[in-house]
Amino acid sequence: MQYAFPLLAVLFWSANTVVNKMTVGVIFPAEVGFYRWVFAGVLFTPFILRSVLRNWPNIRPHLLRIFVLGVLGMAIYQSLAYFAAPKTSATNMGIILSLMPMMSLGMAIVALGQRLTMGAIFGALCSFLGVLLVVSHGDLSTLMQQGINMGDAMMLIATLAYALYSTLLKYWQMEIPALQLLYLQILVAIVVLFPLFWFSEKAGLNSANLPLVLFACVFASIAAPLAWMRAIRSLGPSRTAVFFNLMPVLTIIIAALVLSERLALYHALGGGLTLFGVVLSERWTRPLKKQTEAV
C-alpha cells in the first residue's frame, strides 16, 4: 500500500504532461497556468488559512525563501510547460522531465556537499546524450545547424527550475508543515502569474477547457504533491525519488493512448539512455575520490 502513493503522484504528473498538450487551441497558456493555482488556492484556503495565521511568527522569517520557492516550483516550472506544449510533443516533454533527478543530483553535489560519484559522471553523460537525441529528432547534425526547438528549450528551463527548487527545499530546511508550505507557494504563484494573465489573450473558461484546468488543479496541483509528501514520510526521500524515473515511460504510454503520438526510434533510444543515466547515477555510488582518513 505504501507504494501506491508515489505511483499515484507520478501517474498524475505524467497524465498532466499530456493534459498540457491537450490545452493547445482551447485555452491560452497564461490562463490555464493562472486558473489552476487560483482554484487550488480556493480549495485549500478554508482548511489551511487558519493554521497559517496561527503559525505566522514561525513563517514570517522565511517569507523571502517561500517566495523564491513559489516562483521556481509553481510559477516557472508549471507555467512554462503550457507555453512549451504548442511547440513540442508530450513525449518529448516527458523525456526531458526525466532529467530532473540528474539535475537535482548535480546541484546537491555543488550546494549540499554531496560526494561526487562515478555514477553521477557517467549517468550525466548518458542522460545528456539521450536528451540530445530526443531534441534533435535523432539527427545531431541538424541540432548543430538549426539549434534546439523552442518548446524543448522551454521544457529544459522548466526542468532546471524545478531541480533548483528541490535543491533549495532540502538546503533551507524550514520548520513549516508541508501543507502550509505548499499553500503559501500556491499564493505566491497566484500573485506572480496574475500580471501575465491580465495582459495576455483570454479564451475564457468553457466546457472544452474547464475539465483540463480542473484536472491540473485537483490532480497535479493538490493530489500529486500530497501523495508525494506521504510517500516521502513512508519510504524516505531517496526511495521515493526512484519512482520519478517512471514518469517518461508513463507519459509516453498516455500520450500514445490519448493523443495517438507515435513513438519514433529516437524517442526509444533517447528515452532509454536518459533513464539509464538516471538509474546509473542512483545505483553506482562509488566515490570519485576516496576521502582521506584523518591522521
Side-chain angles (χ1 to χ4, degrees):
M1 182 62 183
Q2 59 184 349
Y3 296 112
F5 293 107
L7 284 172
L8 277 176
V10 173
L11 178 61
F12 291 153
W13 281 326
S14 300
N16 192 59
T17 303
V18 177
V19 168
N20 290 346
K21 188 66 178 178
M22 294 171 67
T23 62
V24 177
V26 297
I27 188 170
F28 289 101
E31 281 185 290
V32 63
F34 178 71
Y35 282 137
R36 68 178 287 187
W37 294 122
V38 169
F39 289 169
V42 169
L43 291 174
F44 264 127
T45 295
F47 305 100
I48 301 180
L49 180 59
R50 188 172 299 176
S51 62
V52 166
L53 293 177
R54 284 199 301 264
N55 195 34
W56 190 251
N58 294 324
I59 293 172
R60 186 168 51 196
H62 302 292
L63 286 178
L64 180 57
R65 293 178 175 180
I66 293 169
F67 178 80
V68 172
L69 291 174
V71 170
L72 289 172
M74 308 299 166
I76 295 178
Y77 167 61
Q78 304 286 359
S79 296
L80 267 183
Y82 296 114
F83 287 93
K87 300 175 176 65
T88 187
S89 67
T91 299
N92 275 29
M93 293 166 73
I95 292 174
I96 292 172
L97 280 172
S98 67
L99 272 179
M100 194 181 300
M102 180 63 62
M103 290 180 175
S104 296
L105 177 61
M107 291 180 185
I109 291 171
V110 174
L112 306 179
Q114 189 167 322
R115 287 192 299 175
L116 182 62
T117 64
M118 298 294 290
I121 293 176
F122 288 102
L125 291 174
C126 287
S127 293
F128 182 67
L129 179 59
V131 170
L132 283 182
L133 282 174
V134 172
V135 301
S136 66
H137 292 195
D139 188 354
L140 295 178
S141 62
T142 302
L143 183 65
M144 297 295 292
Q145 295 171 2
Q146 300 179 2
I148 189 171
N149 174 281
M150 182 59 70
D152 294 333
M154 288 181 179
M155 284 308 301
L156 283 170
I157 295 172
T159 305
L160 182 63
Y162 201 77
L164 181 56
Y165 166 86
S166 301
T167 303
L168 291 176
L169 197 60
K170 294 176 184 177
Y171 180 71
W172 283 333
Q173 293 290 320
M174 293 174 286
E175 296 297 326
I176 300 173
L179 279 177
Q180 293 183 24
L181 186 57
L182 177 59
Y183 175 67
L184 291 166
Q185 291 174 67
I186 288 173
L187 296 183
V188 169
I190 293 172
V191 172
V192 170
L193 293 175
F194 177 74
L196 181 62
F197 165 77
W198 183 259
F199 291 107
S200 72
E201 294 182 277
K202 298 175 185 63
L205 294 174
N206 53 52
S207 59
N209 58 42
L210 184 58
L212 303 177
V213 175
L214 290 178
F215 183 93
C217 166
V218 175
F219 292 100
S221 304
I222 297 177
L226 291 178
W228 194 253
M229 287 187 290
R230 176 66 182 270
I232 290 175
R233 287 199 300 268
S234 302
L235 301 174
S238 59
R239 292 175 66 192
T240 301
V242 174
F243 285 85
F244 198 88
N245 299 334
L246 294 172
M247 189 167 173
V249 179
L250 292 174
T251 302
I252 290 170
I253 293 173
I254 297 171
L257 293 174
V258 177
L259 303 176
S260 299
E261 288 189 2
R262 299 182 63 181
L263 183 64
L265 179 60
Y266 66 83
H267 283 129
L269 292 176
L273 267 175
T274 303
L275 189 58
F276 175 72
V278 173
V279 173
L280 190 66
S281 69
E282 293 175 348
R283 297 299 181 185
W284 191 6
T285 56
R286 177 185 172 186
L288 186 61
K289 293 181 179 180
K290 293 184 178 180
Q291 290 183 325
T292 56
E293 297 182 0
V295 179

